[in-house]
Amino acid sequence: MTSSSTAVFRLQKDVKEVVQRYGYNSDNPPIFVATVDNAVDHVYALVLGPPDTPYARCPYIFEFRCPAAYPNAPPEVRIVSTAYGTVRHNPNLYAGGKVCLSILGTWRGERGGSESWRSSYSIGYVLQAIQAMVLTSEPYHNEPGFDKDALAALGTSGQCPPHSFGYKIQSSSSASPSPAKA
């Protein structure tokens, strides 16, 4: 991608913001960023999953590529930590790397596109949205066509329907062996 001087300046500002606001000094799990040498439009970010979620303390790596029109156009974002394209961590994070968020223009959103990219958004805003709205304690809420009534039909069992993404997370986490006791 080719970058304009406006895009480069804004991207540098965004990286500095993430370092200052979302690192270890934050109340939320930290987010780290690194630029790629000789590619001013290319950034990698590491996001730690929030506590009390199936993603707690797990590292997720995202790649950002910013077009020349950035910040007037959204960055292209993909998740890199997919075990070579074999793991889909969430309904919004595809094994092929696609990150599905309305603000990135990769999903139309529930309001028919009213949640689109704004030039006031930043790399930090996108990362915070991923951490807060995608890596949630109830990832099945992010499933397209999620039916709140179907969840209510589950009653108080707290179990996800077997076809849902949340069920897959519960199943795989419950199958994990317990740590050995000393």
Side-chain angles (χ1 to χ4, degrees):
M1 294 189 151
T2 306
S3 295
S4 69
S5 59
T6 302
V8 170
F9 175 76
R10 176 58 186 276
L11 187 57
Q12 289 172 340
K13 181 181 169 190
D14 287 359
V15 168
K16 184 177 178 181
E17 172 201 25
V18 173
V19 169
Q20 291 175 342
R21 292 184 67 192
Y22 305 111
Y24 280 120
N25 299 327
S26 172
D27 291 335
N28 296 317
I31 297 172
F32 303 99
V33 293
T35 56
V36 176
D37 291 337
N38 300 327
V40 293
D41 60 350
H42 196 179
V43 175
Y44 280 95
L46 182 134
V47 176
L48 293 179
D52 303 321
T53 70
Y55 312 101
R57 297 178 300 281
C58 293
Y60 297 93
I61 300 171
F62 295 90
E63 178 183 38
F64 285 75
R65 296 253 182 182
C66 296
Y70 184 79
N72 295 316
E76 292 178 13
V77 182
R78 64 183 207 93
I79 184 167
V80 178
S81 47
T82 61
Y84 301 101
T86 62
V87 177
R88 183 177 180 187
H89 297 283
N90 181 285
N92 296 76
L93 305 174
Y94 288 76
K98 183 177 182 176
V99 175
C100 222
L101 279 177
S102 57
I103 61 172
L104 296 175
T106 52
W107 186 64
R108 64 174 168 74
E110 292 180 8
R111 298 181 201 142
S114 66
E115 302 155 339
S116 59
W117 179 260
R118 297 178 187 170
S119 62
S120 60
Y121 293 165
S122 65
I123 300 294
Y125 183 86
V126 173
L127 291 167
Q128 191 176 29
I130 291 169
Q131 194 175 55
M133 297 187 309
V134 175
L135 301 176
T136 67
S137 61
E138 299 175 326
Y140 47 86
H141 283 248
N142 294 341
E143 280 283 4
F146 170 72
D147 185 358
K148 293 177 185 170
D149 294 331
L151 184 63
L154 293 173
T156 58
S157 71
Q159 295 297 313
C160 301
H163 64 279
S164 75
F165 191 84
Y167 178 81
K168 293 173 189 166
I169 291 173
Q170 284 180 345
S171 297
S172 63
S173 63
S174 63
S176 300
S178 301
K181 294 182 181 179

